[in-house]
Amino acid sequence: MPTKQCSVCSGPPEILTAVNSMLKQKLSMKKIAAASGISKASIGRHSLKCCNRKIAETFKSMKQMRPIISWPDGRAHIQFRDTLLTPAQVNSLCMSGDFCVWEVRYSPLSDEAAQNIANLEARQQEIRDRLAAPAAVPELLSHRETANEPAEEIVFTREPEPEEIPPQRKPQSGADAMRSLLSDVKNMITRRRCG
């Protein structure tokens, strides 16, 4: 059974171009159907099958190419190489068909992020100004000296801990030491009755 051909792809080329551009703009199927005169179901099938197939084929062909990375400040280099390329070199390499350009773009800051950066920069400048103004400290010292207030000196000391004096034991005689050892040994030995 032959496969059914897409009604958008088989239609006039100008309608195909218009539908594809409206799909890229992410308009609703209802609006695209009203503008092109094609049913929503056909447009839905076209966007799921045909557009994805074209993207996959483009990606497959690009996958075999070596990327050139282009930065917003104008720098460009081949991936994994540090050598910078001129715009003329980038154009000539892309014309050869072996390279493709990956252009890096930065999204604009949101209002909240821009405000946070401005607040941070203002705070940093305030800290720099405070550190750069050493005149405030001598004024305080000179004020203290003119008031004839005695300068207080704070000294932290620690009380010495009392030394532990070991209890003094009476020296035992040899006989007394032997008796205490024998009594300790007798207490450890349990007697058994022999029957």
Side-chain angles (χ1 to χ4, degrees):
M1 187 171 166
T3 58
K4 197 172 182 183
Q5 195 174 13
C6 175
S7 58
V8 178
C9 292
S10 62
E14 56 273 1
I15 290 179
L16 173 65
T17 307
V19 167
N20 286 341
S21 69
M22 286 188 271
L23 285 171
K24 281 183 185 175
Q25 295 170 11
K26 301 202 184 285
L27 296 176
S28 68
M29 300 288 172
K30 189 175 184 181
K31 288 181 181 176
I32 297 172
S36 64
I38 300 172
S39 68
K40 287 194 305 184
S42 297
I43 294 170
R45 276 193 303 274
H46 173 72
S47 69
L48 290 175
K49 292 182 180 178
C50 303
C51 292
N52 288 343
R53 190 180 308 123
K54 286 177 186 171
I55 290 169
E57 287 171 3
T58 306
F59 180 72
K60 188 176 179 183
S61 66
M62 284 178 63
K63 193 175 174 184
Q64 296 166 353
M65 295 181 183
R66 295 176 61 194
I68 296 172
I69 300 163
S70 173
W71 296 92
D73 60 0
R75 292 178 298 128
H77 61 86
I78 299 172
Q79 190 179 19
F80 306 123
R81 288 194 191 169
D82 293 335
T83 308
L84 295 179
L85 303 173
T86 63
Q89 289 173 323
V90 171
N91 290 337
S92 66
L93 288 172
C94 289
M95 294 299 281
S96 70
D98 295 333
F99 293 88
C100 64
V101 177
W102 289 356
E103 188 175 352
V104 178
R105 294 182 187 168
Y106 301 125
S107 62
L109 291 174
S110 65
D111 294 337
E112 183 181 353
Q115 184 63 37
N116 287 343
I117 290 172
N119 291 342
L120 181 64
E121 288 173 352
R123 180 72 178 135
Q124 287 174 343
Q125 186 59 42
E126 181 182 331
I127 291 169
R128 275 190 231 109
D129 292 344
R130 282 189 183 181
L131 292 175
V137 175
E139 287 175 11
L140 291 175
L141 293 175
S142 63
H143 172 70
R144 177 184 274 182
E145 291 170 1
T146 55
N148 293 329
E149 293 179 9
E152 294 180 23
E153 186 176 327
I154 300 173
V155 178
F156 294 99
T157 60
R158 184 174 173 184
E159 289 184 21
E161 294 181 10
E163 294 181 18
E164 288 187 26
I165 302 171
Q168 292 185 358
R169 301 176 95 188
K170 252 185 182 178
Q172 290 182 341
S173 65
D176 290 337
M178 194 60 150
R179 276 189 218 112
S180 68
L181 179 65
L182 284 173
S183 67
D184 291 342
V185 170
K186 282 181 183 176
N187 291 336
M188 287 190 287
I189 297 174
T190 57
R191 295 181 181 170
R192 287 188 180 177
R193 285 187 181 179
C194 296

